Amino acid sequence: MKLWGGRFTKEENALVNQFNASISFDQRFYRQDICGSIAHVTMLAKQGILTESEREQIVAGLEGILSDIEGGTLNIDPAAEDIHSFVEAALISRIGDAGKKLHTGRSRNDQVALDMKLYVRDEINALDALVKELLQTVLVVIEENLETYMPGFTHLQKAQPVTVAHHFGAYFEMFLRDRSRLSDIRKRMNTCPLGAGALAGTTYPLDREYTASLLDFDCATRNSMDSVSDRDYLIELCGAMATIMMHLSRFSEEIILWNSNEYQFVELDDAYSTGSSIMPQKKNPDIAELVRGKTGRVYGALTSILTTMKGLPLAYNKDMQEDKELVFDAIDTTKGCLALFTGMLATMKFNKETMKRSAMNGFTNATDAADYLVNRGIPFRDAHGIIGRLVLYCLDRGISLDEMSLEEYKAINPVFEKDIYEAISLKTCVERRTTLGAPGPSVMRKTAEGYRKMLEA
Ligand code: ARG
């Protein structure tokens, strides 16, 4: 049965029905739909628009529908147009005439705007909790690896030595920003559209602020046309999820590299790796690759919803029904990736010796060697040139800066003394980097303490 049959003389054809229907995906928010309706009738009764007895019958009916859906005794009818019509029809068939009053002073336009907000609000909380768990896992790695040396890269070329704690600290910062983006969105979206009607409010004396407070919104929306046609918060959420995925994807890319035969910096747990059907030696980082791959899907959702919205005149248009599947998919994908990535990270082993050896090769101490000369009065630009020649000299001989004899150093410049070896040792290079934000374990420890406090707050 259609909610709007009165004006129509022909039955729709089956394909049109199917094309138009959203029940296959909007049944996801049956609970939000029912809770919104309960708040709505509570407000209608308080305003004297419904009687107390009507309110009681409707609320009891809706509560029964909710518990029957959850208990599996009421199946959502796949032939219904959408979840709103399904719940209303179920209510009318259970309680009769009182049920027909549920939709007083309401449209599906403000109803769907409400349901989606209620659903998304919970999902933002769930996403935030998952990012927090990931941060906790990253922080454990930081705390345990303040002195685990590794090469830092620029252009994927070894640059200067850092620590695992410092490298992971960069990701900690990214995921912190992700949490703050989620919290901004949640704050901004927390206004209640119910009572906006189809687009122009209603003639009933609704108390919209009351409905808003029943549903834990900060307030009611201010403009009824905007209320039914605003999907900004979904765009913002897709943007925030796209950014989370971008961070996970960069992290995945590094883990894939580090886990490769060439790097061997880390080893993924068997539980988070897969084998090959043909090559017996393989242990592939499929989870990290899938996270990297699924990033494209979440970007797709963002592009898709932006494109859907760009040409829409005010107020509601059916195009907006397209917001659901893609936002749901992006939420499911991002949540799944966060959970799996966290598990993968928590079980990943670091090959500390290999990382350290790698940090010692590749002239990651060349800047420190130049700084040594600067401390002995040589201008930095000249020092840069001198060390550049030293590097060439070493490359020719297949040795590192630490392996040159003092005579060889002095032959290139007499200011070199035997303290050069200490000055360019891996330990010194890392420990002396103590500016705010640098990898030196003394500063990084303080940073990590700050991170711990943030997570516990
Ligand atoms: N299924 C619709 C949606 O998701 C609900 C709103 C229907 N409103 C309407 N005027 N047809 O947008």
Side-chain angles (χ1 to χ4, degrees):
M1 198 220 22
K2 285 281 176 319
L3 293 176
W4 35 262
R7 191 210 174 286
F8 286 74
T9 51
K10 277 194 211 153
E11 282 292 310
E12 273 178 286
N13 85 33
L15 273 177
V16 172
N17 270 336
Q18 202 185 38
F19 191 67
N20 190 48
S22 51
I23 190 74
S24 63
F25 47 88
D26 65 15
Q27 57 178 278
R28 213 187 244 251
F29 48 54
Y30 67 85
R31 190 162 13 88
Q32 287 79 4
D33 191 76
I34 293 171
C35 293
S37 290
I38 291 175
H40 181 61
V41 296
T42 306
M43 179 276 293
L44 291 178
K46 177 180 95 71
Q47 296 303 96
I49 303 165
L50 293 185
T51 66
E52 197 43 39
S53 138
E54 286 164 338
R55 181 194 68 81
E56 271 169 29
Q57 292 175 62
I58 297 175
V59 170
L62 288 170
E63 283 172 352
I65 292 171
L66 179 60
S67 68
D68 290 352
I69 294 176
E70 309 219 298
T73 52
L74 175 61
N75 293 326
I76 295 174
D77 177 8
E81 182 183 346
D82 53 32
I83 190 65
H84 325 296
S85 352
F86 171 76
V87 172
E88 191 176 329
L91 183 70
I92 294 168
S93 86
R94 287 180 178 209
I95 68 165
D97 281 349
K100 296 183 182 165
K101 297 195 172 180
L102 167 64
H103 211 53
T104 312
R106 184 176 79 171
S107 153
R108 275 186 296 167
N109 296 352
D110 56 346
Q111 189 179 355
V112 76
L114 171 73
D115 292 2
M116 193 66 177
K117 275 194 167 179
L118 289 173
Y119 180 83
V120 162
R121 204 171 61 174
D122 289 346
E123 291 297 316
I124 291 179
N125 294 345
L127 279 161
D128 182 66
L130 285 165
V131 180
K132 187 172 181 193
E133 273 172 47
L134 173 57
L135 281 169
Q136 256 143 1
T137 305
V138 173
L139 184 53
V140 170
V141 174
I142 292 175
E143 289 168 341
E144 288 175 354
N145 291 284
L146 290 165
E147 291 178 50
T148 307
Y149 303 131
M150 66 177 286
F153 297 84
T154 63
H155 314 272
L156 208 50
Q157 311 257 356
K158 285 184 199 174
Q160 290 171 345
V162 295
T163 61
V164 167
H166 191 243
H167 197 114
F168 274 58
Y171 284 104
F172 194 94
E173 294 287 343
M174 292 179 229
F175 295 123
L176 267 188
R177 287 195 294 273
D178 286 327
R179 282 193 83 190
S180 107
R181 253 182 291 275
L182 290 173
S183 130
D184 287 348
I185 297 166
R186 199 188 177 296
K187 257 183 241 137
R188 201 166 20 254
M189 68 165 282
N190 202 29
T191 57
C192 183
L194 203 63
L199 77 163
T202 75
T203 54
Y204 299 97
L206 305 186
D207 183 348
R208 294 194 53 219
E209 290 297 350
Y210 179 66
T211 318
S213 72
L214 290 177
L215 292 167
D216 273 332
F217 284 101
D218 296 330
C219 58
T221 51
R222 273 186 304 259
N223 180 294
S224 59
M225 291 179 81
D226 182 53
S227 308
V228 294
S229 60
D230 166 31
R231 299 293 182 271
D232 290 6
Y233 68 102
L234 298 178
I235 293 171
E236 288 186 48
L237 177 60
C238 284
M241 291 190 292
T243 309
I244 292 173
M245 290 300 298
M246 179 270 289
H247 292 152
L248 288 178
S249 184
R250 293 183 75 176
F251 212 164
S252 294
E253 169 66 14
E254 297 212 283
I255 288 173
I256 293 162
L257 272 177
W258 294 347
N259 185 63
S260 69
N261 300 132
E262 278 65 31
Y263 277 75
Q264 297 182 28
F265 281 7
V266 298
E267 193 179 336
L268 292 175
D269 195 77
D270 280 2
Y272 289 90
S273 313
T274 53
S276 155
S277 61
I278 171 169
M279 299 166 283
Q281 83 282 13
K282 289 281 226 165
K283 187 173 148 188
N284 298 326
D286 289 33
I287 301 305
E289 290 173 3
L290 274 172
V291 168
R292 190 177 57 183
K294 285 175 189 290
T295 303
R297 221 162 128 154
V298 176
Y299 288 6
L302 174 61
T303 313
S304 184
I305 189 164
L306 278 168
T307 313
T308 298
M309 294 305 293
K310 80 182 252 299
L312 297 189
L314 291 178
Y316 178 84
N317 301 272
K318 193 66 173 248
D319 315 46
M320 290 174 181
Q321 177 166 292
E322 287 295 306
D323 62 359
K324 287 170 202 67
E325 284 163 290
L326 57 97
V327 169
F328 294 159
D329 182 70
I331 290 173
D332 295 347
T333 304
T334 308
K335 279 166 66 183
C337 288
L338 280 165
L340 276 153
F341 192 91
T342 301
M344 179 181 74
L345 211 58
T347 51
M348 187 172 86
K349 301 260 176 314
F350 292 91
N351 296 330
K352 298 187 183 182
E353 270 311 307
T354 312
M355 291 176 123
K356 184 173 172 190
R357 230 180 302 120
S358 171
M360 289 171 72
N361 298 326
F363 303 98
T364 60
N365 51 3
T367 316
D368 298 81
D371 291 343
Y372 174 91
L373 293 176
V374 170
N375 285 328
R376 274 148 196 79
I378 297 179
F380 181 77
R381 194 46 59 214
D382 295 337
H384 186 284
I386 294 168
I387 303 301
R389 286 200 297 284
L390 278 182
V391 168
L392 254 182
Y393 179 90
C394 289
L395 282 172
D396 273 350
R397 285 158 187 75
I399 58 172
S400 66
L401 289 176
D402 321 62
E403 287 166 327
M404 284 176 53
S405 69
L406 189 56
E407 289 66 46
E408 288 174 300
Y409 270 112
K410 281 195 173 294
I412 288 176
N413 197 299
V415 308
F416 283 114
E417 294 299 340
K418 65 175 188 307
D419 59 353
I420 178 66
Y421 297 106
E422 229 262 273
I424 62 168
S425 78
L426 182 58
K427 194 167 152 63
T428 313
C429 290
V430 176
E431 276 178 1
R432 288 187 43 205
R433 297 194 135 68
T434 55
T435 40
L436 181 63
S442 59
V443 267
M444 194 60 219
R445 183 167 293 112
K446 287 207 193 89
T447 310
E449 282 163 12
Y451 289 160
R452 184 52 68 205
K453 286 204 190 87
M454 280 177 207
L455 285 189
E456 272 152 21

